[in-house]
Amino acid sequence: MKLRKSSTDRVFTGVCGGIAEALGIGSIWVRLLFVFGGGILFWVYLALMFLMAD
């Protein structure tokens, strides 16, 4: 399983959509996790934004 940014399910950069596609779940759940997950997940999101392939 290789994480890739989603090109179709994106709001900002496609990170949450790509994670959701890889896990086979709805992207809304991944987005909610990042929104309500706390400050550390903000930094994780930023890192994934630059590290995940397009």
Side-chain angles (χ1 to χ4, degrees):
M1 166 177 83
K2 184 172 180 178
L3 287 177
R4 301 185 69 79
K5 292 179 188 173
S6 176
S7 60
T8 56
D9 186 9
R10 60 187 325 154
V11 173
F12 186 57
T13 62
V15 171
C16 292
I19 293 171
E21 288 173 8
L23 295 176
I25 60 174
S27 60
I28 187 67
W29 300 112
V30 178
R31 288 185 180 101
L32 287 172
L33 176 70
F34 276 104
V35 168
F36 294 112
I40 190 70
L41 288 181
F42 170 76
W43 297 108
V44 170
Y45 184 89
L46 284 180
L48 290 174
M49 192 169 67
F50 292 107
L51 295 174
M52 285 176 71
D54 286 329

